[in-house]
Amino acid sequence: MSTSDTFFGPDFPALQAQDPDIAAVLLSELERQRHNLQLIASENFTSPAVLATLGSTLSNKYAEGYPGKRYYGGCEEVDKVEVIGIERAKSLFGAEHANLQPHSGASANVAVYQAFTKPGDTVLAMSLPHGGHLTHGSKVNFSGKWFNIVSYGVRQDNELIDYDELRDLALKNAPRMICTGATAYPSLIDFEKVRSICDEVGAIMWVDAAHFIGLVAGKAIPSPVPYADVVSFTTHKVLRGPRGGMILSKAEHAAAIDKAVFPGMQGGPIMSAVAGKAVALKECATPAYQKYAKDVISNCQVLAKSLEEEGMRAVSGGTQTHLALIDIRSTGINGKVADERCGLSGITLNKNAIPYDPESPAVTSGIRVGSAATTTQGMGAPEMKEIGSLIARAIKDGGEPSKAQAISQDVRALTAKFPVYPR
Ligand SMILES: *Cc1c(COP(=O)(O)O)cnc(C)c1O
């Protein structure tokens, strides 16, 4: 493979000469991304333009503080990048305030807790086994250790958020803040309803939009921004930017958010990533990205349907987003084994608990699939149908090495038609 096969910038030959061990991993990871099917719902392929910012000298610059109010000299150039990024975020989402500095989605959430709560306060959030994130109150996470988290879930009959339960819990517990948003919830959230519950009990409305913000950016689903006091998210999922976090809020909370991010929980921002966020936000404002966001949803719907035709069950009857949760109990195989068999067959996805899962979290009865990465590759409905049957074959036969080998050959043939970072 030649250097022109890579996206590592002009100095990749220098890296290869100086540190062949690490250079080799960069190349083999690029090959893995090119030849396997990437169905992890939180992953995507960011653009070469975004990758260019991440490999830039902006990484060298300390810029503690905010544009025009830094603790170090020499920030006049990086200030420009952050100002452009903030303006792009506010305009794309119609937000009154934007903070681009959080290093990740979890970091953004630390800042949200810090801006609005004190340790020991009550916070209502989605239960983890029903799709909530670690930062929504897991016992092994700061959120579960430092806050009184009360969890709400989905109804057993329709597997949708139970807003009556949410309201009852809010009235009973008087939470300081209510969090909606999840890592494994295939349906839309009724933000207007959540707002009215927050108003009724005087709670801060926090939307953790990490998974679906890209669909909002592409105007493919309704936005939480007009309703929420604060919206936190990652920039590397459907949004397709660099790995990182971001926070949008009403103007009245701007100072609290900025103080919570710095000096509240971080030191210097990663300015190369802030530049990458600005580039991604510009990409998201284009008609091409808006088409992408719509295609992501329709592709995921075709994929979920294809898995249903293979005899599996889509949780909550299907999907309205970029991800589907699939109950695979009809196959007689559990989530852990399915995940392993798909892996051996060149299909990267994850096992996932389904609501009211009878199996343990380490085993599970389900898988989670997402369409963000394959749609970036240019795949459409016919390919989603094919992916459904490849997954079904992998779950059934992927335990046998020769059959897993045959499936991964078919995966390779499919991905070869939709090259990632083409040569
Ligand atoms: C992915 C995700 C996060 C965490 O993002 P990281 O960048 O991995 O820290 C937080 N909340 C939700 C709902 C997520 O899906």
Side-chain angles (χ1 to χ4, degrees):
M1 195 183 318
S2 78
T3 314
S4 63
D5 290 341
T6 73
F7 278 81
F8 308 128
D11 289 335
F12 189 70
L15 175 67
Q16 277 180 308
Q18 180 188 323
D19 195 335
D21 299 335
I22 296 299
V25 174
L26 267 56
L27 288 174
S28 52
E29 171 61 12
L30 177 59
E31 285 306 290
R32 189 195 67 80
Q33 292 188 16
R34 277 176 172 155
H35 294 303
N36 288 1
L37 268 172
Q38 310 301 339
L39 302 177
I40 305 242
S42 46
E43 293 185 3
N44 210 333
F45 300 114
T46 197
S47 68
V50 168
L51 289 179
T53 63
L54 299 180
S56 73
T57 55
L58 267 58
S59 178
N60 297 337
K61 189 71 200 95
Y62 243 111
E64 283 185 349
Y66 292 97
K69 292 169 292 198
R70 305 283 190 187
Y71 287 75
Y72 290 92
C75 288
E76 51 288 348
E77 299 306 323
V78 291
D79 271 8
K80 292 177 195 163
V81 145
E82 191 165 352
V83 167
I84 292 170
I86 290 168
E87 286 312 313
R88 285 179 184 169
K90 285 161 68 174
S91 128
L92 180 65
F93 294 108
E96 293 172 7
H97 179 67
N99 187 308
L100 272 60
Q101 294 193 4
H103 298 337
S104 70
S107 308
N109 291 354
V110 174
V112 169
Y113 280 97
Q114 197 177 185
F116 296 107
T117 61
K118 290 190 301 299
D121 278 354
T122 298
V123 176
L124 219 60
M126 185 118 165
S127 129
L128 267 61
H130 289 195
H133 187 257
L134 277 173
T135 52
H136 302 172
S138 162
K139 282 292 163 214
V140 297
N141 182 263
F142 79 92
S143 55
K145 291 180 183 172
W146 299 346
F147 296 92
N148 173 37
I149 304 278
V150 178
S151 298
Y152 61 87
V154 299
R155 289 171 59 101
Q156 193 150 13
D157 55 0
N158 61 12
E159 297 166 315
L160 299 174
I161 291 174
D162 189 340
Y163 295 98
D164 294 330
E165 182 201 26
L166 178 54
R167 180 169 175 271
D168 289 345
L169 287 170
L171 288 169
K172 198 164 122 222
N173 294 283
R176 171 84 184 112
M177 185 161 75
I178 298 178
C179 172
T180 52
T183 63
Y185 187 68
S187 300
L188 300 181
I189 296 168
D190 187 339
F191 300 120
E192 195 175 345
K193 203 170 268 175
V194 176
R195 178 76 255 176
S196 77
I197 296 170
C198 288
D199 287 342
E200 203 176 344
V201 302
I204 292 287
M205 178 174 170
W206 165 29
V207 177
D208 181 350
H211 256 277
F212 60 81
I213 194 70
L215 302 175
V216 174
K219 308 203 183 311
I221 63 169
S223 172
V225 172
Y227 302 99
D229 291 287
V230 60
V231 180
S232 63
F233 51 90
T234 54
T235 48
H236 49 270
K237 296 180 182 174
V238 185
L239 192 79
R240 214 162 61 184
R243 187 157 293 278
M246 206 184 290
I247 303 175
L248 306 174
S249 76
K250 300 285 185 227
E252 63 183 291
H253 304 308
I257 291 292
D258 285 354
K259 265 171 65 185
V261 173
F262 173 85
M265 64 117 197
Q266 278 179 189
I270 303 172
M271 290 313 297
S272 47
V274 170
K277 290 169 195 176
V279 171
L281 290 165
K282 182 172 183 181
E283 292 176 0
C284 286
T286 61
Y289 183 86
Q290 289 172 8
K291 177 176 186 305
Y292 164 73
K294 286 186 184 69
D295 290 348
V296 165
I297 298 175
S298 59
N299 275 346
C300 200
Q301 288 169 337
V302 174
L303 176 55
K305 199 154 176 49
S306 167
L307 291 164
E308 285 185 324
E309 281 160 10
E310 298 286 348
M312 297 169 235
R313 187 184 75 86
V315 165
S316 72
T319 177
Q320 297 170 292
T321 65
H322 63 295
L323 71 85
L325 197 53
I326 310 294
D327 173 353
I328 61 169
R329 286 176 292 181
S330 62
T331 64
I333 306 290
N334 65 44
K336 180 171 185 283
V337 172
D339 182 334
E340 286 161 6
R341 289 183 177 184
C342 286
L344 292 170
S345 306
I347 302 168
T348 308
L349 47 70
N350 60 283
K351 67 172 186 281
N352 211 108
I354 58 171
Y356 305 94
D357 202 319
E359 297 284 355
S360 75
V363 176
T364 80
S365 303
I367 55 172
R368 187 184 68 160
V369 292
S371 55
T374 49
T375 306
T376 294
Q377 277 173 281
M379 293 190 194
E383 290 76 34
M384 295 299 136
K385 234 182 124 30
E386 185 177 349
I387 292 171
S389 63
L390 287 165
I391 293 172
R393 277 171 63 199
I395 291 177
K396 197 158 70 89
D397 298 330
E400 252 180 83
S402 65
K403 289 188 172 163
Q405 186 63 27
I407 299 164
S408 62
Q409 286 308 321
D410 291 346
V411 165
R412 234 184 143 83
L414 174 61
T415 53
K417 287 188 273 177
F418 298 88
V420 174
Y421 305 118
R423 289 154 207 270

